[in-house]
Amino acid sequence: MTSTRMKGHRVLSLLLWMCAVYFVGIYLFVGGFLLVRLEVNRTSTCGDVLEPGGEPRDFCGVKPRFRRAVLLIIDALKIDFARFDPNNTSPRPFENKLPVFEETCSSRPDQCRLYPFRADPPTTTMQRIKGLTTGSLPTFVDMGSNFASRAISDDNLIHQFGQVGKRVVFMGDDTWESLFPNKFYCSLPFPSFNVHDLHTVDDGILQNLYTTMVGDEWDVLVAHFLGVDHCGHRFGPDHPAMADKLTQMDGVIRSVINHIQNDTLLVVMGDHGMTDTGDHGGESQKETDATLFLYSAVPLFPGPPSQDEPDVVPQINLVPTLALLLGVPIPYSSVGQVLLPLFPEFDPAQGALAGLSQHEALWINTKQVSRFLVTYSALAKDIPSESLAVLQHQYENLSSEYLTFAREGRSPPRELSLALQAYLTSVQDVCRATWARFNPLKMTAGLIILALACLMCFTVSEMSSALVGENRFRLRAAVVVALLVGVCVAAGQLLSWGSVELAWCMAASAFTSELFFLCQALQSKTSAAVKNGAKAPKSASWRTPRYLLSPPLVVTLLRFASMLSNSYVITEGQSVTFLLRSLALYIPLRLNWDGLLLPANQDPSKPASFLPSPASPPSTVRKESSTLVAFFALLVGSLYLSLFFHGCREEQHACQPSPFLSSLARVKDNQLKNILYVLSVFSLAVWTYLLRKCLQHYGNLNSSGGTVFTARWILPLLSVCLGLHWAVSASPENSFRNLSEFIKLAQIFIPRAAYCLLGLGVALIWLDPLTVFVKTRPASGTLKNLSVPPPRYRASTGISPQAELHHLIPQIYQHMRRSLDDGETSGGNEVDNRPAVEAYGLGTVYSAPLLLFCGLLGLGLLHLHPEGMALSFLLLLFEMGALLHIHASSTTLCDLRGVYSGGFNVPWTPVVLWSLAATQFFHATGHLPTFSSIQWEAAFVGFPGGHTGTFLPASLVTLNTFASHILFAVGCPLLLFWPLVCEVRGSRAGKASGEGGEEAVMEMRLREKPQLFSSALLQLSARYLFILGLQVFASVCAAAILRRHLMVWCVFAPKFMFEASGFLVSCVSLLLGVSLVLRVDVAVGHWFKRLVPDVSR
């Protein structure tokens, strides 16, 4: 007797192993590609010999130009906010709101300057604080720690201020507290992660700022305002709230200027800018260009701005400038260049009263940078020797020339000053080019493991039948050998180095398991060939060039090659839409080419055959062809409409981001806001209605189980919660003042109620996944009163319970079909007093809970997106349904005409289409493989007051970013079920069971052949993993090959990180979807075991 249970543990084990091998390859490559630069743990001291005389001297003992400094950091204060245009009679909300800069610089040109302040990417707050205090250049990987900041170990201004006894008082963004723990004389930090809160941090600063300034308990005052940045994230710069916030900052700056003493320097600056949507993190000019305003109560500059002054000031240049103006050593690792206009020209008569002269400051800066360059190159050895030799030779010549003038007491010529500045600029350029340190060995190991993982995944997909059906599970041996090798490598490391590096142990284990498995696969191929007498087995057809160069695989390889093009990565949203539409068009074209799309023409000249013709009725073929064409049109329409929801990269200058990407709270026109809200709620209602209608159509809403309860009640309640949450979130803060507290509570409890409903629904689906309604009734004449007899089955008593269980599935469906089609009210050979069984929803017993799970999960993910994305999610539902029906119709057309491949295998074409749709929907929700496009607002849905940790907000942002990956990976098994759901008479139903093609038993056919079921599920999952893994491998190759490319850090590295993260999320989601299918199979098995005794008594 054939087993009726799937080999689920074997399927899950193989999938887990393949995912683990991919993870190891990604981990190794990341370890070699995204390395931070070496941190030089040395600090500058007051006794460093940096002055021209070359004698030891207490540098800090010289009277500095300023005794105090006030640093006002207005987060995201872009230079466009600071400029004032008196001719602009209709300014936008962010224009002309800071007239204090223009008024002060016009009335007192020798006391202040306004400069564009250019940041080095990444333009995130933690990295900017690090650059503003250390003078060093950040590396790309630093961005990952923006919300998990660790203490700065490099020498920095805060440390230097403390070394000389200056009292540093800080207030504002709590990021400073984590970067400089126990470094402040007094600290007043406020939480910074809640971007919805525009006032708490700023109001907290203002309560303490002026009282601190009038006191004498400080030397350096740092105040970091966050309101402008949070307003940009929440509303964007073009919003009335931004005008209010900038006006408030204008008043703050005016008040501080009035409190500035003669010995105090005021520095007002932004740490970065923002895009037109209020985001930042990338390297576009709108994100990098902030504001720098310098002011002193006494003359600071020789006069109005001259042509010699810089047009733009790099942020790292502020570090040596502040250090020398305040009389502290320049931080050891700084590569910044002093801002010369802040230092007086050389005048021997003025002596030390005027502080350092321009040439002295420039020389000290040059010698400090040269000292760091020598130290760093000796430790890291990653600066090219040619570049290092050129810089050292250049410094020696400049040093000799400058010391000659210094010993003679003459002022160095202008040419020497320019040469020193050119040297400092050259050092910065060399450091920028080389501080992307790579570990070629780890990168190569990661590439090899990922390449073998792709090959292994492809092999598993094509050998799924053998892997599932073999008696000896070959994976067990591969894992055991891999673990032994990993342990041996760890022992070798421990004996040789005294420590163990886990990365190489995992690499050895993964590589060994891959080789072991591939060798076993090759051995099985050889043994099969020998057994067949030198004749290639049928399963070897996948190794032929014709198979490997089929259109779906060609499209996959084309995407692989395109990853090396920055143009493709930039325009991937439009490119994937084109590929998806083209490959979908290939299906009807290929069917038409094979003569399967239209009914077969009968040749009257040919004699009639004694055997029945395999051709199906023309009406059936026309119906399936029409269905295929209709859903292809729906797919094309959905793809076209989804283009209206795309975002814009910084490289796409002519692109305008979709208005649907903004939350309703940002919309100023109330009429437009109402229209968008109605459209969003309508899309939500259609989503819920279609899911319930589909389940109702197949009879899955008749039982009283947990899954049916979820579909009946939790799904609509979750939709209501979303609609209410959108209404509350769209309400302006100043409206409904009497209900303001109620609205604040609703913004907390309604989203959290949605989370609870979502969790309850998922739990009920998992615990009770069956949607089958069974009713036992006497088979009497009561059926005569019904117009359509219900399906029924009378269990046989002439066979054993085990045999009855084996034959129950085909029998129950054959009787149900005959009952419906022939209008039987009672079987002629049935005994009236024997019980019969009515079963509803059994034909979609696998797909129904999975479909409901995807729908419920889709609403939960929509909850984390802006309201306008409800339309995009509805288009996603249309796309998924269209792809499923196109696949089902094409399969049915092939089966109706006798082109049957056997089993339940899903071809490559629908799998590739499914993966393309996942990428397409990623872009259709406004997401891009750039850090500035991350929708951070998702972290505060249900948590407007912020979080105490980083795990929960990071999880919410991840779910928002990779919603498409999650939905398509969880729903991937639907590709296996949908042709069975939509099967018709004469298709694979009869051919698969040998019943002459008369019955269509839908998904119950999977229970008849559990080994084929397991094999098809493994093959489908492995194929999907192969396509996703190949995309990761392509992005890895692009990042490795183009690691010195001009656009590696703005295009290829972010693309790799998003592909790798999306792959990890997809793997987890795919395993979740497969696990749910296996859970349903176990529940179905238990259901039949309970049913057999009940109907046999």
Side-chain angles (χ1 to χ4, degrees):
M1 182 181 68
T2 305
S3 173
T4 58
R5 291 290 301 276
M6 292 179 63
K7 296 186 177 181
H9 67 284
R10 185 165 295 189
V11 173
L12 272 182
S13 300
L14 285 166
L15 292 178
L16 282 170
W17 170 59
M18 289 187 291
C19 292
V21 171
Y22 272 114
F23 294 170
V24 171
I26 294 173
Y27 176 75
L28 274 174
F29 184 83
V30 168
F33 182 71
L34 299 179
L35 286 180
V36 296
R37 65 175 177 83
L38 177 69
E39 293 183 347
V40 178
N41 294 320
R42 298 190 183 183
T43 59
S44 300
T45 64
C46 295
D48 293 339
V49 181
L50 296 176
E51 295 191 9
E55 299 177 357
R57 178 184 177 187
D58 185 7
F59 171 78
C60 304
V62 178
K63 183 180 179 180
R65 186 164 188 184
F66 294 99
R67 186 175 67 90
R68 287 175 161 186
V70 176
L71 309 180
L72 298 184
I73 303 172
I74 302 177
D75 209 293
L77 185 66
K78 63 187 299 187
I79 187 61
D80 294 342
F81 296 169
R83 293 192 174 107
F84 185 83
D85 183 8
N87 299 321
N88 187 355
T89 58
S90 300
R92 299 167 68 180
F94 62 86
E95 294 176 337
N96 290 359
K97 298 301 182 295
L98 292 168
V100 60
F101 297 136
E102 176 66 23
E103 295 172 3
T104 306
C105 291
S106 299
S107 61
R108 289 167 276 187
D110 59 343
Q111 295 177 229
C112 66
R113 285 290 187 274
L114 180 66
Y115 295 112
F117 200 36
R118 183 158 296 168
D120 290 289
T123 50
T124 49
T125 297
M126 191 278 283
Q127 286 71 38
R128 294 299 85 240
I129 295 175
K130 188 174 182 179
L132 289 169
T133 55
T134 64
S136 62
L137 298 169
T139 56
F140 180 84
V141 75
D142 282 342
M143 186 169 199
S145 57
N146 189 46
F147 298 106
S149 308
R150 62 183 179 89
I152 292 177
S153 59
D154 276 344
D155 193 11
N156 55 81
L157 283 176
I158 306 300
H159 173 74
Q160 290 298 335
F161 290 148
Q163 288 293 101
V164 300
K166 288 187 179 293
R167 297 160 297 178
V168 183
V169 175
F170 167 76
M171 53 187 71
D173 185 351
D174 61 354
T175 305
W176 287 76
E177 189 68 28
S178 59
L179 293 176
F180 306 102
N182 304 319
K183 294 290 185 180
F184 298 115
Y185 178 78
C186 179
S187 177
L188 297 171
F190 299 94
S192 61
F193 192 61
N194 186 6
V195 295
H196 283 210
D197 186 356
L198 309 184
H199 308 296
T200 299
V201 177
D202 294 359
D203 292 345
I205 294 174
L206 295 179
Q207 290 174 5
N208 300 276
L209 178 62
Y210 305 121
T211 55
T212 302
M213 288 186 66
V214 297
D216 196 35
E217 295 294 319
W218 64 279
D219 294 300
V220 178
L221 175 58
V222 181
H224 192 150
F225 294 88
L226 288 175
V228 173
D229 178 69
H230 287 186
C231 184
H233 283 297
R234 183 175 180 183
F235 301 110
D238 198 9
H239 192 275
M242 181 63 77
D244 296 339
K245 184 52 66 175
L246 291 176
T247 302
Q248 181 190 28
M249 292 297 102
D250 183 81
V252 171
I253 297 169
R254 291 180 187 273
S255 299
V256 172
I257 288 176
N258 294 333
H259 285 84
I260 290 296
Q261 304 297 320
N262 291 345
D263 61 349
T264 305
L265 174 67
L266 171 63
V267 181
V268 180
M269 57 182 159
D271 56 343
H272 52 74
M274 68 172 63
T275 63
D276 293 336
T277 59
D279 300 311
H280 59 88
E283 60 176 22
S284 67
Q285 189 169 339
K286 293 181 179 180
E287 296 169 273
T288 59
D289 281 7
T291 300
L292 176 63
F293 175 74
L294 302 167
Y295 173 81
S296 172
V298 297
L300 183 61
F301 299 91
S306 63
Q307 294 182 350
D308 295 336
E309 295 191 20
D311 296 327
V312 177
V313 176
Q315 282 191 359
I316 58 174
N317 290 2
L318 183 64
V319 173
T321 303
L322 285 179
L324 296 183
L325 287 175
L326 294 171
V328 300
I330 301 174
Y332 196 96
S333 300
S334 170
V335 293
Q337 179 179 334
V338 291
L339 188 57
L340 288 182
L342 287 166
F343 297 88
E345 295 284 349
F346 179 80
D347 187 355
Q350 293 180 348
L353 295 177
L356 297 172
S357 68
Q358 287 188 1
H359 294 98
E360 289 172 334
L362 189 59
W363 168 251
I364 293 173
N365 187 196
T366 302
K367 193 167 184 179
Q368 170 265 323
V369 170
S370 176
R371 178 188 63 179
F372 165 73
L373 189 64
V374 172
T375 304
Y376 180 84
S377 60
L379 294 174
K381 302 184 183 302
D382 58 355
I383 299 179
S385 56
E386 300 82 3
S387 301
L388 187 61
V390 170
L391 290 174
Q392 289 178 340
H393 179 70
Q394 187 178 359
Y395 171 75
E396 292 172 358
N397 292 337
L398 293 173
S399 176
S400 175
E401 186 176 354
Y402 181 85
L403 291 177
T404 300
F405 284 100
R407 281 191 292 265
E408 296 176 358
R410 293 185 295 142
S411 174
R414 175 179 172 81
E415 291 74 15
L416 180 57
S417 177
L418 294 176
L420 290 172
Q421 294 179 65
Y423 168 78
L424 293 172
T425 302
S426 299
V427 172
Q428 291 182 8
D429 293 340
V430 170
C431 290
R432 283 192 177 95
T434 58
W435 274 354
R437 287 182 59 234
F438 303 110
N439 187 327
L441 187 59
K442 280 189 176 181
M443 291 171 61
T444 303
L447 283 167
I448 292 174
I449 290 177
L450 284 175
L452 290 177
C454 292
L455 178 60
M456 179 189 67
C457 203
F458 184 81
T459 303
V460 169
S461 72
E462 302 303 328
M463 296 181 60
S464 59
S465 298
L467 292 172
V468 170
E470 63 185 358
N471 295 325
R472 181 174 57 88
F473 192 30
R474 68 181 68 188
L475 178 60
R476 187 179 297 109
V479 171
V480 170
V481 172
L483 290 177
L484 290 176
V485 171
V487 171
C488 291
V489 171
Q493 288 181 340
L494 195 61
L495 293 175
S496 303
W497 306 338
S499 61
V500 176
E501 186 173 357
L502 186 61
W504 291 116
C505 299
M506 294 191 299
S509 297
F511 183 72
T512 302
S513 67
E514 289 174 328
L515 285 184
F516 193 88
F517 177 83
L518 291 174
C519 289
Q520 282 190 320
L522 181 63
Q523 183 180 4
S524 64
K525 169 191 172 183
T526 305
S527 61
V530 172
K531 184 182 296 184
N532 294 339
K535 181 181 178 181
K538 184 179 180 180
S539 61
S541 61
W542 58 272
R543 303 184 184 98
T544 61
R546 181 178 180 182
Y547 182 88
L548 297 176
L549 295 178
S550 59
L553 292 180
V554 168
V555 169
T556 304
L557 296 176
L558 183 62
R559 286 188 68 197
F560 178 93
S562 300
M563 282 291 183
L564 295 170
S565 168
N566 61 304
S567 299
Y568 171 82
V569 176
I570 292 172
T571 61
E572 186 181 29
Q574 292 79 9
S575 302
V576 169
T577 301
F578 170 77
L579 291 175
L580 179 57
R581 186 169 57 242
S582 301
L583 188 58
L585 179 62
Y586 160 76
I587 294 177
L589 292 179
R590 179 59 188 267
L591 290 173
N592 187 61
W593 177 268
D594 294 337
L596 304 176
L597 190 62
L598 299 176
N601 295 323
Q602 298 293 333
D603 190 353
S605 62
K606 292 183 179 181
S609 173
F610 289 103
L611 297 175
S613 173
S616 299
S619 59
T620 304
V621 177
R622 290 193 188 96
K623 179 181 177 181
E624 289 300 316
S625 300
S626 301
T627 301
L628 189 149
V629 173
F631 279 101
F632 175 76
L634 176 63
L635 175 65
V636 172
S638 300
L639 291 174
Y640 175 77
L641 293 176
S642 67
L643 294 175
F644 291 98
F645 298 89
H646 282 213
C648 296
R649 292 180 62 106
E650 59 197 39
E651 297 87 357
Q652 298 172 305
H653 303 291
C655 176
Q656 293 294 328
S658 171
F660 294 99
L661 295 176
S662 301
S663 62
L664 292 181
R666 293 191 179 191
V667 180
K668 292 174 286 186
D669 188 344
N670 289 329
Q671 184 176 1
L672 178 60
K673 180 185 294 187
N674 293 334
I675 293 174
L676 291 176
Y677 178 76
V678 171
L679 288 175
S680 300
V681 173
F682 173 76
S683 302
L684 190 63
V686 173
W687 174 286
T688 306
Y689 171 78
L690 289 177
L691 285 174
R692 285 173 55 89
K693 190 67 176 177
C694 181
L695 296 174
Q696 184 181 16
H697 175 73
Y698 290 106
N700 297 114
L701 295 183
N702 296 314
S703 69
S704 58
T707 300
V708 176
F709 178 83
T710 300
R712 285 179 176 175
W713 297 105
I714 295 181
L715 184 67
L717 282 177
L718 183 58
S719 301
V720 171
C721 284
L722 263 65
L724 291 176
H725 171 64
W726 294 341
V728 171
S729 300
S731 302
E733 290 185 350
N734 297 329
S735 63
F736 307 108
R737 294 184 179 180
N738 296 332
L739 300 175
S740 59
E741 292 300 323
F742 174 77
I743 291 176
K744 289 181 180 179
L745 290 176
Q747 289 178 342
I748 297 175
F749 289 109
I750 293 179
R752 294 186 183 182
Y755 293 144
C756 293
L757 287 173
L758 178 62
L760 178 62
V762 170
L764 289 176
I765 292 175
W766 183 265
L767 295 174
D768 187 11
L770 291 187
T771 57
V772 181
F773 174 63
V774 181
K775 184 168 69 174
T776 304
R777 59 175 181 79
S780 61
T782 57
L783 296 179
K784 296 179 181 180
N785 299 326
L786 299 176
S787 57
V788 179
R792 59 193 181 84
Y793 168 68
R794 183 177 67 89
S796 172
T797 57
I799 56 177
S800 66
Q802 292 80 10
E804 185 174 19
L805 179 61
H806 176 59
H807 294 287
L808 177 63
I809 302 161
Q811 287 179 8
I812 192 172
Y813 265 86
Q814 289 164 10
H815 282 271
M816 289 165 66
R817 283 292 180 184
R818 294 191 184 107
S819 176
L820 286 173
D821 296 337
D822 301 334
E824 299 174 349
T825 58
S826 62
N829 55 355
E830 291 181 346
V831 182
D832 288 342
N833 59 359
R834 294 297 298 167
V837 175
E838 294 177 340
Y840 299 92
L842 201 56
T844 52
V845 67
Y846 292 101
S847 58
L850 184 60
L851 183 64
L852 179 61
F853 184 80
C854 290
L856 200 66
L857 194 59
L859 290 182
L861 295 172
L862 172 59
H863 191 35
L864 301 175
H865 284 76
E867 300 88 339
M869 286 298 103
L871 293 168
S872 180
F873 270 73
L874 182 61
L875 293 175
L876 158 74
L877 188 64
F878 290 158
E879 287 181 29
M880 294 181 74
L883 289 174
L884 291 173
H885 279 89
I886 289 172
H887 168 47
S889 296
S890 62
T891 303
T892 301
L893 286 171
C894 292
D895 293 343
L896 286 174
R897 305 293 289 277
V899 185
Y900 180 68
S901 58
F904 308 104
N905 296 340
V906 181
W908 276 104
T909 302
V911 183
V912 175
L913 285 172
W914 201 254
S915 66
L916 288 172
T919 303
Q920 188 272 336
F921 183 66
F922 172 79
H923 291 271
T925 47
H927 295 292
L928 295 166
T930 60
F931 294 103
S932 59
S933 68
I934 295 177
Q935 299 174 8
W936 300 108
E937 296 87 351
F940 304 100
V941 177
F943 303 91
H947 302 269
T948 57
T950 58
F951 176 77
L952 181 57
S955 301
L956 294 176
V957 172
T958 301
L959 292 173
N960 167 276
T961 304
F962 300 107
S964 63
H965 299 73
I966 295 171
L967 288 176
F968 279 92
V970 170
C972 186
L974 290 174
L975 292 172
L976 171 61
F977 301 133
W978 217 253
L980 298 171
V981 173
C982 301
E983 72 178 6
V984 297
R985 285 189 174 190
S987 64
R988 78 165 71 187
K991 295 178 177 63
S993 61
E995 295 291 336
E998 295 182 0
E999 303 296 340
V1001 301
M1002 302 169 71
E1003 293 174 9
M1004 282 295 97
R1005 188 139 339 268
L1006 299 169
R1007 290 284 303 177
E1008 297 179 51
K1009 299 188 176 181
Q1011 184 167 320
L1012 289 180
F1013 185 10
S1014 304
S1015 170
L1017 185 61
L1018 174 61
Q1019 183 187 67
L1020 172 61
S1021 304
R1023 285 181 172 179
Y1024 193 69
L1025 276 181
F1026 168 75
I1027 297 170
L1028 298 179
L1030 195 64
Q1031 285 302 108
V1032 174
F1033 182 55
S1035 63
V1036 165
C1037 290
I1041 295 172
L1042 303 173
R1043 62 185 181 275
R1044 297 297 181 187
H1045 191 276
L1046 178 65
M1047 304 187 74
V1048 62
W1049 299 117
C1050 63
V1051 175
F1052 297 108
K1055 177 61 177 173
F1056 154 65
M1057 295 186 71
F1058 273 81
E1059 283 288 345
S1061 302
F1063 177 78
L1064 300 181
V1065 173
S1066 298
C1067 286
V1068 175
S1069 303
L1070 181 63
L1071 290 172
L1072 181 62
V1074 172
S1075 299
L1076 181 58
V1077 172
L1078 300 179
R1079 173 71 183 93
V1080 175
D1081 186 72
V1082 172
V1084 171
H1086 292 164
W1087 180 80
F1088 274 119
K1089 287 181 180 179
R1090 292 195 307 268
L1091 180 65
V1092 171
D1094 291 342
V1095 300
S1096 300
R1097 282 195 296 264

